[in-house]
Amino acid sequence: MARSPFTPTRALRVSFVGAVASALLLSGCVAQGTAAAPAEPKEAAAEPSLEFQGPNGEQPGALAELELTDDELAEVEAGDYTAAFVWHTSGDFVAAVEEGARAEFEELGIEVVASTQANFDAGTQANNVQTVMALDPDIVVAIAVDPTSAAKSFQPILDAGAKLVIMTTPPEGYAAGDEFVSIVTEDLAKAGRANAEILGDALGGEGEVGVLTFNANFWFTNQRDQSFTDWLAYEYPDITIVEEQGFADETATQAAAAAMIAKNPNLTGIYVSWATAAQGVLAAIRAAGRTDIQVVTNDLDTTVAAAMMTGTNVAGMVGNGSLDIGAGLARAGAYGVLGKEAPELVASDPTKVTADNLVEGWQADYGVDPPASVTGG
């Protein structure tokens, strides 16, 4: 009998192309004493798709597709396998994903021997791969900081015969079933829509919005960002995106947001690709003395959550199903050591989190109550 890790009794372990329609302001030369022609109405945006695909065209399935029989579970538990994490960065989201993976690895009898993070630096990640592989793990859970350079820097994992499992972003040229077992991620189309609905509702369906997105070939973030702009245009036609900027370094978002706010005095909302990058945006908003600009972003983050609960500048956040992603990564690792073919891509459902459902959303995504620094308790 097949056993799935995604059942209610194990919920705490297991529990991103269309263009955005913009207003075209037509103002001709108006003769003295004559009225200006009215602006043409904005063309209605087409309904976006709720489908997305992986970096190599993989079609996502549900996390529940990752299941093992009792005999397979027993085989993994008897294998004395080890695992290691090679992350891109740190933060609440990564910590929660790792927590979910560690819990599932423990259930499977797999020992975690290392965990590293690279502060979004490809060179650091390359060194981390070398450090981790010196411990000879059987399973490596990783996400490529830079897909191009990672094709080379991840090669020691393949050379050692370890089973590589990917959270969201694999090295360029790597394919599921060959170089890695599977990709585990969140549903990017649904996440983008959730961001659009949080911000659109917070703005009452009208206003001017700025967009700060990750300026790199990062398929996961790129599709989620695009989904936000598509759904905002479709569901909130009276909201206009007045400026879009890209950032390569999340520490640069404060300066980018400050310039955006100065250039667009009627700005009332900003979307940022993820929460730690949103921290700089919030700093720029506070420095400008603007209490009317609201931010929406991805990942549940203590700093952003605290700002949401104590101020007026955070409309909400979108959780990724972090514990589920972690458990799926570990389960895919078990597929790898068993030599069992896994789905190429599986995805978790995101969760809208606002001040009204913070505790419930935090519990659903991270499996614990939000910290006192967020709730003030």
Side-chain angles (χ1 to χ4, degrees):
M1 174 180 168
R3 289 168 54 190
S4 168
F6 306 100
T7 58
T9 57
R10 301 177 66 181
L12 294 186
R13 294 198 308 269
V14 275
S15 334
F16 222 156
V17 173
V20 176
S22 59
L24 183 59
L25 301 179
L26 300 178
S27 55
C29 295
V30 182
Q32 184 176 3
T34 63
E40 292 187 3
K42 184 193 296 185
E43 183 179 349
E47 182 174 0
S49 172
L50 278 174
E51 297 181 357
F52 73 98
Q53 61 183 19
N56 304 307
E58 300 92 345
Q59 299 302 309
L63 280 170
E65 294 181 20
L66 292 172
E67 58 181 16
L68 298 170
T69 66
D70 289 342
D71 287 344
E72 288 169 334
L73 288 167
E75 183 178 346
V76 173
E77 291 169 6
D80 197 29
Y81 296 116
T82 60
F85 301 103
V86 178
W87 298 123
H88 55 323
T89 188
S90 60
D92 294 330
F93 166 62
V94 172
V97 171
E98 183 169 322
E99 180 184 343
R102 282 181 178 270
E104 187 66 16
F105 277 137
E106 183 177 359
E107 180 79 9
L108 294 165
I110 297 173
E111 180 187 1
V112 175
V113 295
S115 178
T116 66
Q117 70 93 9
N119 289 317
F120 272 106
D121 182 81
T124 299
Q125 187 169 60
N127 291 333
N128 289 344
V129 169
Q130 297 286 351
T131 299
V132 162
M133 294 316 298
L135 300 172
D136 196 27
D138 299 291
I139 301 167
V140 176
V141 175
I143 171 174
V145 169
D146 171 54
T148 302
S149 64
K152 179 179 180 180
S153 63
F154 278 33
Q155 188 63 42
I157 301 172
L158 309 185
D159 293 342
K163 303 304 179 181
L164 177 62
V165 183
I166 298 296
M167 186 179 79
T168 73
T169 306
E172 188 175 275
Y174 284 32
D178 294 325
E179 288 80 10
F180 64 87
V181 179
S182 182
I183 298 172
V184 184
T185 187
E186 74 165 330
D187 190 307
L188 306 178
K190 290 181 180 178
R193 183 179 188 176
N195 276 277
E197 291 176 345
I198 290 173
L199 186 58
D201 289 349
L203 298 183
E206 60 184 14
E208 296 185 359
V209 167
V211 174
L212 277 170
T213 60
F214 191 40
N215 187 23
N217 182 19
F218 208 66
W219 78 275
F220 169 86
T221 308
N222 299 156
Q223 289 195 52
R224 189 171 64 182
D225 292 347
Q226 186 65 55
S227 178
F228 165 78
T229 59
D230 290 346
W231 282 100
L232 190 73
Y234 176 70
E235 295 193 314
Y236 303 92
D238 293 327
I239 293 180
T240 302
I241 295 177
V242 293
E243 185 171 351
E244 299 186 47
Q245 287 192 34
F247 63 91
D249 183 344
E250 64 180 16
T251 62
T253 57
Q254 181 171 353
M260 183 180 288
I261 293 167
K263 182 180 177 182
N264 301 281
N266 295 322
L267 201 67
T268 54
I270 299 177
Y271 166 84
V272 198
S273 293
W274 64 83
T276 49
Q279 293 177 14
V281 176
L282 290 171
I285 293 172
R286 288 192 294 267
R290 296 288 299 273
T291 59
D292 59 327
I293 300 177
Q294 299 202 47
V295 173
V296 69
T297 191
N298 294 281
D299 309 339
L300 304 189
D301 172 81
T302 54
T303 300
V304 176
M308 180 174 71
M309 300 307 290
T310 62
T312 60
N313 293 127
V314 178
M317 303 166 288
V318 175
N320 306 276
S322 307
L323 291 173
D324 284 356
I325 290 174
L329 289 164
R331 184 58 61 103
Y335 269 63
V337 296
L338 287 171
K340 182 177 181 178
E341 184 179 0
E344 292 183 328
L345 172 64
V346 292
S348 68
D349 284 334
T351 303
K352 292 181 184 179
V353 179
T354 66
D356 293 334
N357 72 332
L358 174 67
V359 174
E360 296 87 352
W362 206 277
Q363 290 172 338
D365 203 30
Y366 290 168
V368 296
D369 289 337
S373 61
V374 171
T375 62

